Amino acid sequence: MTTLSQDDVRTALCTIVDPVSGKDIIANGMVSGLVIKDRNIGFAIEIDPADAEHMEPLRKAAERAVLALDGVSSVSAVLTAHNAAPASQPEAAPGAPPKPTDQPAQAPATSLLPDVAAIVAVASGKGGVGKSTTAVNLAVALSSLGQRVGILDADVYGPSLPRMLGITDKPKPLANKRIAPLEAHGVKVMSMGFMVPEDTAMVWRGPMVIGALEQMMREVEWGALDVLIVDMPPGTGDAQLTMAQRVPLAGVVIVSTPQDIALIDARKGMNMFAKVNVPVLGIVENMSMFICPNCGEQTDIFGHGGARAEAERLGCDFLGEIPLDVAIRITSDSGQPITASEPDGPHAAAYRDLASAVLAKISTATMRPAPSISID
Ligand code: ADP
């Protein structure tokens, strides 16, 4: 079998023409994150989100072109939103000697986070469903179960972990030029929010997102951890793809509200992870039901139970449900997550149940040694 090179793949992709610009997708700088793992190929095609609806044929054509290469057994191309102009560095001409950036960008996972036993992403199809709240309380709950836990805020567009964990310090550089993570409620924490105020609008181009995430993994002295929780940005984009392709995720927990799952946002998120072969550990239904603080009556504001039914339908696990309770909002928005501030209450118990369910899932799942990519 001949060994496939990045140039072979790029040459094949030169035949695919972007209908918007009329240029081929390599010349137009639209291909990023190219991964070659044995006979499996993965890459992203960066498009303007406004064109997303019309780009599916292009994605499929790109997959077909690479699949036609000798020795390729599977190809996964993912469309990723990119508003900015294509990278100023032109792509290497096919056959040209590879520049440093043309090397497979994916460092072996072990060099990024060598002492982390399981990396678990917490994701959602859209914003505002309580993903960060769930990630934080899950992390604290895991720590209360005796795990060594870290939490990485991959939501570079809207980092909220410093506020939710009540951290106002900045991380300190260590003598070895690495960065010490901060610590709160027994959990090690790293977030872009330590560098940039939460209300500062950040405009990130795809490569910047990838760079920031890699830095927070590679240059932070996480030490030995049993679990690293990664709070993903909402939706599907560069951050998700980076994490899915560059670190061996043990799996992803999808947070959904009952109405979100009905509106298929959560399903889109799940499909994206399935596409890049990241196991979906299961779905959590957040804001599942409202318990009146005065009379104790339960009201199913968003139609409680949708996520459980959807999980069953999709054949994935239902990991638990967290009620809509103002105490969860107040504690998480004031830096005192309810798992830490009211550890004996019912909500902390619900998060511990979630933590136990996640632990059970990751103890049976093996960490993937490297990205593995499959055909649709
Ligand atoms: P996301 O990360 O999905 O954007 P957040 O975790 O930031 O969402 O939550 C959005 C808002 O909803 C926050 O003010 C948070 O405190 C609140 N919230 C999240 N989960 C709950 C819940 N179960 N009960 C009450 N408020 C919640």
Side-chain angles (χ1 to χ4, degrees):
M1 189 188 80
T2 51
T3 314
L4 279 158
S5 72
Q6 298 240 332
D7 281 347
D8 295 334
V9 177
R10 287 176 195 279
T11 306
L13 290 172
C14 283
T15 59
I16 307 300
V17 175
D18 167 31
V20 178
S21 64
K23 289 191 199 161
D24 76 71
I25 59 175
I26 290 291
N28 212 21
M30 294 166 74
V31 174
S32 66
L34 177 55
V35 190
I36 302 178
K37 175 71 188 145
D38 303 327
R39 294 145 65 93
N40 307 306
I41 317 276
F43 54 90
I45 304 173
E46 299 184 359
I47 58 161
D48 186 323
D51 301 322
E53 270 186 28
H54 314 292
M55 289 303 201
E56 182 58 11
L58 176 103
R59 188 190 70 77
K60 286 218 166 100
E63 282 189 346
R64 274 197 304 271
V66 177
L67 195 57
L69 288 172
D70 236 14
V72 174
S73 60
S74 81
V75 183
S76 171
V78 184
L79 294 177
T80 170
H82 196 337
N83 271 319
S88 54
Q89 282 230 340
E91 292 287 341
K99 298 180 306 223
T101 48
D102 287 326
Q103 300 295 344
Q106 292 65 33
T110 44
S111 77
L112 274 180
L113 292 163
D115 302 320
V116 178
I119 306 165
V120 174
V122 177
S124 62
K126 63 170 190 184
V129 301
K131 169 187 53 63
S132 297
T133 306
T134 307
V136 162
N137 280 294
L138 171 61
V140 176
L142 283 165
S143 160
S144 75
L145 295 176
Q147 301 291 305
R148 293 165 301 173
V149 184
I151 185 164
L152 167 63
D153 195 348
D155 193 348
V156 291
Y157 306 97
S160 52
L161 294 199
R163 173 174 49 87
M164 288 193 172
L165 285 157
I167 303 174
T168 49
D169 293 347
K170 299 221 172 308
K172 307 230 169 358
L174 297 167
N176 59 4
K177 300 225 169 99
R178 289 166 64 79
I179 303 163
L182 290 161
E183 203 154 338
H185 312 293
V187 173
K188 289 182 178 170
V189 192
M190 189 63 204
S191 167
M192 279 312 288
F194 295 141
M195 326 292 177
V196 186
E198 195 181 351
D199 53 6
T200 305
M202 291 288 292
V203 181
W204 291 86
R205 293 181 50 189
M208 291 163 69
V209 174
I210 295 168
L213 289 179
E214 287 207 347
Q215 203 178 352
M216 288 197 287
M217 291 187 278
R218 197 190 304 280
E219 291 174 23
V220 171
E221 197 77 55
W222 289 102
L225 294 179
D226 297 308
V227 187
L228 178 68
I229 297 289
V230 181
D231 183 16
M232 291 287 192
T236 55
D238 293 301
Q240 286 79 357
L241 200 63
T242 300
M243 295 305 296
Q245 293 189 325
R246 306 214 179 172
V247 290
L249 292 176
V252 56
V253 171
I254 304 281
V255 180
S256 168
T257 58
Q259 83 274 33
D260 164 45
I261 197 95
L263 292 172
I264 73 155
D265 289 306
R267 262 180 270 170
K268 269 195 236 158
M270 276 162 61
N271 288 340
M272 187 246 146
F273 284 104
K275 242 184 181 163
V276 285
N277 259 7
V278 174
V280 175
L281 299 179
I283 305 181
V284 187
E285 187 168 271
N286 189 38
M287 309 191 193
S288 188
M289 76 298 267
F290 173 70
I291 316 247
C292 173
N294 301 318
C295 66
E297 192 190 45
Q298 176 175 325
T299 312
D300 297 339
I301 298 182
F302 303 125
H304 163 223
R308 183 190 288 275
E310 187 63 20
E312 266 169 33
R313 205 182 68 76
L314 296 171
C316 82
D317 278 10
F318 182 70
L319 298 173
E321 52 196 25
I322 308 294
L324 173 67
D325 191 317
V326 70
I328 295 180
R329 191 195 66 70
I330 290 172
T331 50
S332 91
D333 289 351
S334 64
Q336 296 295 324
I338 203 152
T339 33
S341 53
E342 297 175 28
D344 301 324
H347 299 323
Y351 284 116
R352 274 195 302 276
D353 288 347
L354 169 63
S356 303
V358 168
L359 279 181
K361 294 287 294 186
I362 56 182
S363 64
T364 52
T366 40
M367 291 272 278
R368 295 173 312 136
S372 90
I373 287 149
S374 65
I375 312 177
D376 278 348

